[in-house]
Amino acid sequence: MSLYNIDENSRIDEYGIDHSDFSLLDELKYNFRRAEEKKRQQSIMPQNEQISRLNKLQGMPEMNWNDIIVAGMAGAGEGMLAGINRGLNAATLGKYGEAADKLLDNIYTNQQNRMQNQAEQAGLGKANKLANTAIDISSQILAGKFFKF
């Protein structure tokens, strides 16, 4: 009357336990203990799966996520700064870029060229040119409304 697979000839179950001398009470106790053990093993199974996953992750190449996050934030900041500079240059009809280049050793032109080169390396050269054109047009429209051109 076991809940586990028992060979009918040898009366040995799947765990190697001989049931030939088991009384009904022994069989019930055995099944109860097996059920408790199975429940205990299942309760720690998720933890074992986590350990297995952790071991797989530890086997992956080591990365410094802080460096990746910092680089991403720096890139985003550089892109925003280039866009703001582009907008200021368009709003002043090119005078901002001229002044920045003259005073700071071509900083505006170098920044715009560097951003375009990075965009082209990433396969986004046309998209960057389109974004720059949109910034130029919208900045000139806003400047015209502000200064009543």
Side-chain angles (χ1 to χ4, degrees):
M1 170 172 2
S2 176
L3 298 176
Y4 304 95
N5 294 331
I6 297 177
D7 182 88
E8 290 301 318
N9 295 330
S10 66
R11 301 291 298 153
I12 296 176
D13 71 10
E14 60 190 317
Y15 299 104
I17 304 297
D18 186 358
H19 290 252
S20 58
D21 292 331
F22 275 28
S23 68
L24 181 58
L25 182 59
D26 292 336
E27 199 68 52
L28 290 172
K29 286 180 181 178
Y30 176 79
N31 286 324
F32 182 71
R33 286 188 187 146
R34 279 286 175 203
E36 283 180 340
E37 179 61 19
K38 187 174 183 178
K39 186 177 178 182
R40 186 190 71 79
Q41 288 177 358
Q42 287 175 341
S43 71
I44 63 171
M45 187 64 76
Q47 184 180 10
N48 288 341
E49 289 174 9
Q50 289 174 1
I51 290 170
S52 173
R53 288 182 191 142
L54 184 60
N55 288 339
K56 287 177 185 173
L57 288 175
Q58 288 172 349
M60 295 175 69
E62 201 168 306
M63 290 185 219
N64 187 341
W65 288 102
N66 290 336
D67 291 344
I68 293 170
I69 292 168
V70 168
M73 291 173 67
E78 187 176 8
M80 286 186 265
L81 182 61
I84 290 168
N85 285 339
R86 184 87 186 195
L88 289 172
N89 188 53
T92 60
L93 304 174
K95 298 301 178 195
Y96 174 82
E98 288 175 17
D101 283 346
K102 192 175 199 180
L103 295 171
L104 300 171
D105 195 28
N106 293 325
I107 192 169
Y108 174 77
T109 303
N110 290 340
Q111 179 191 47
Q112 294 300 315
N113 290 339
R114 185 175 64 252
M115 294 301 291
Q116 184 61 38
N117 288 337
Q118 289 175 354
E120 287 173 7
Q121 288 175 357
L124 300 170
K126 289 182 181 180
N128 190 57
K129 287 181 181 180
L130 181 63
N132 285 340
T133 302
I135 290 171
D136 291 346
I137 292 169
S138 61
S139 297
Q140 288 172 357
I141 290 171
L142 289 173
K145 286 184 178 183
F146 184 74
F147 294 114
K148 309 277 191 250
F149 292 145

